[in-house]
Amino acid sequence: MANPAIEPTPLAGGVPYRLAGCRLTVDLEALATNWRALAGKCRPAETAAVVKADGYGLGLEPVARKLLAAGCATFFVATPSEGVALRGLAPDARIFVLVPMLGDGAETDIAAHGLVPCLNSTSEIAVWESFCGSHGSPLPCAIHVDTGMNRLGLTPAEARAFAEENALTQAIEPVLLMSHLACADEPAHPLNRRQCEAFGLAAAEFKGIETSLANSAGIFLGQDYRFGLVRPGIALYGGQPVTGHPNPMRPVATAEARIVQIRYARAGETVSYGATVTLRRDTIIAACAAGYADGYHRAASGAGVPLRSGDGAGASGFVAGRTVPVLGRVTMDVTLFDVTDCGEGAVGRGDWIELFGPNIPLDEAARAAGTISYELLTSLGARYHRRYVEAA
Ligand SMILES: *Cc1c(COP(=O)(O)O)cnc(C)c1O
């Protein structure tokens, strides 16, 4: 069924409703429910919230405000600029910056806004030490130790050497030791156990400070993986934390496109750029005002894109109580759906078709485009009319 939470409002989120081709509804109550569910599951570990990339594309401000109200006290962002923006909304929260870009002057802003940088290399440690020296006091930081992802972080040996040295000098004040799992969404992957053990060994070198390993999927690997602080992102926003397992989280985001034209095409005709699909029957086509410029990826096309391997069918929408397939290529501003099975007259201009939401799971829409929920959310375009609702 269409989401009853979605009713036309004349104005919200900047883009006038009547002028927008697509709309995004964010259920803030579901977001808070998801955070509370994880917090309850992980206790006594603390549950933080990862709100990088504009709250996974859903809007930093409403997302952060809701999570604060739900009781979240610790946040992770990617960049110092995101940290500064969040500080304006959350004067008392703990804010960790995952990619602090120390060495180019960011340290001054990070300290001025009371942000905590995650130090990812010995050179970032050196910058923070020298900054703290000139500042006159050891400032808090997190130490990121790499346990097998090879993206960011000190090697375990570097972390050990740092722990020994800083215990003597106390040049900086580590408040958190963290690492990141490479394969947490594949519970059977042997790297999970290896990383967990390596992290436990590293933590033993940093007595008396907090520890954090698990992202959303890591939480579901079990209690051993939760340490003192967990860092969920995607699960808060309704993404499926563990591949191939039922999704325990509530959907948060609903994306819909406005139907701008109904057309009748004959069997044998072709549809969209490249004429990559030939109709096998007389077809009712709904042309909808969202396309790849809105983050409805071209790889979700019903046909004619070589990028997507596997799942050959392309994406589907949901309208008039039915799941209906994308026809031919997704274009920049318009996507075509085959609504023949809805029946003559069941779908009309001005109706809205769901791209993902309560009927088309976010993860299914992502899979159909050869990608993951994270990328689908963070590529939602600027043309969406955004609404934030508190529907229970
Ligand atoms: C993005 C990120 C997270 C959150 O991951 P999810 O899979 O979205 O829960 C946690 N930790 C680090 C270091 C990250 O980069």
Side-chain angles (χ1 to χ4, degrees):
M1 295 299 295
N3 186 338
I6 300 164
E7 284 302 325
T9 51
L11 263 172
V15 184
Y17 179 78
R18 68 183 183 283
L19 304 183
C22 44
R23 65 185 180 188
L24 180 75
T25 306
V26 180
D27 182 346
L28 292 174
E29 203 48 49
L31 171 78
T33 300
N34 287 340
W35 184 81
R36 282 193 218 99
L38 294 178
K41 184 182 181 70
C42 294
R43 223 164 266 133
E46 180 187 347
T47 298
V50 181
V51 295
K52 60 195 181 187
D54 198 29
Y56 284 49
L58 300 185
L60 177 66
E61 176 167 351
V63 160
R65 285 198 197 287
K66 190 67 186 184
L67 292 169
L68 281 165
C72 183
T74 300
F75 294 83
F76 286 81
V77 295
T79 62
S81 63
E82 293 177 346
V84 170
L86 179 57
R87 177 55 79 213
L89 306 166
D92 302 323
R94 270 204 307 178
I95 304 173
F96 290 97
V97 180
L98 292 165
V99 192
M101 298 181 274
L102 298 185
D104 298 322
E107 45 281 7
T108 314
D109 304 87
I110 285 173
H113 291 91
L115 309 174
V116 186
C118 299
L119 306 182
N120 293 317
S121 64
T122 52
S123 66
E124 283 193 332
I125 286 178
V127 171
W128 196 242
E129 282 173 348
S130 114
F131 179 75
C132 290
S134 60
H135 185 267
S137 64
L139 293 167
C141 58
I143 303 295
H144 186 170
V145 57
D146 179 69
T147 52
M149 171 124 173
N150 267 317
R151 182 173 68 170
L152 297 171
L154 281 72
T155 66
E158 287 168 342
R160 191 178 318 117
F162 164 77
E164 285 167 7
E165 188 199 305
N166 196 64
L168 301 175
T169 63
Q170 306 210 340
I172 60 177
E173 190 199 346
V175 294
L176 176 74
L177 180 73
M178 61 165 287
S179 190
H180 192 48
L181 295 162
C183 307
D185 59 332
E186 299 173 56
H189 201 292
L191 189 51
N192 291 321
R193 183 44 60 194
R194 289 209 301 276
Q195 287 195 265
C196 189
E197 284 167 7
F199 188 64
L201 291 174
E205 311 276 343
F206 285 80
K207 293 218 171 48
I209 76 167
E210 277 187 278
T211 47
S212 178
L213 176 63
N215 63 339
S216 299
I219 288 170
F220 291 84
L221 291 175
Q223 210 184 335
D224 292 359
Y225 287 79
R226 293 181 198 148
F227 292 86
L229 178 73
V230 295
R231 311 186 304 267
I234 195 69
L236 300 176
Y237 309 103
Q240 177 182 23
V242 185
T243 314
H245 285 248
N247 187 351
M249 312 316 296
R250 276 181 49 182
V252 171
T254 300
E256 296 168 293
R258 191 195 291 269
I259 296 174
V260 291
Q261 191 175 117
I262 299 289
R263 30 186 333 120
Y264 298 84
R266 291 282 185 196
E269 293 178 1
T270 60
V271 180
S272 195
Y273 285 126
T276 58
V277 61
T278 302
L279 298 175
R280 276 186 258 151
R281 59 175 181 179
D282 292 352
T283 301
I284 309 176
I285 300 173
C288 304
Y292 58 76
D294 303 294
Y296 199 62
H297 296 312
R298 186 169 175 273
S301 299
V305 288
L307 290 170
R308 190 184 66 243
S309 58
D311 199 335
S316 297
F318 188 89
V319 67
R322 275 185 182 271
T323 300
V324 296
V326 172
L327 261 180
R329 283 190 182 146
V330 172
T331 74
M332 184 186 290
D333 317 298
V334 179
T335 301
L336 306 163
F337 291 86
D338 179 349
V339 296
T340 315
D341 291 340
C342 296
E344 172 68 42
V347 178
R349 195 184 58 77
D351 291 349
W352 294 80
I353 186 163
E354 178 184 317
L355 306 176
F356 60 79
N359 300 290
I360 307 278
L362 171 65
D363 285 271
E364 230 168 74
R367 241 183 329 268
T371 183
I372 56 176
S373 56
Y374 303 68
E375 193 181 31
L376 208 53
L377 290 182
T378 57
S379 41
L380 288 168
R383 294 194 296 204
Y384 273 93
H385 170 91
R386 286 158 176 260
R387 295 191 60 211
Y388 295 89
V389 297
E390 303 269 354

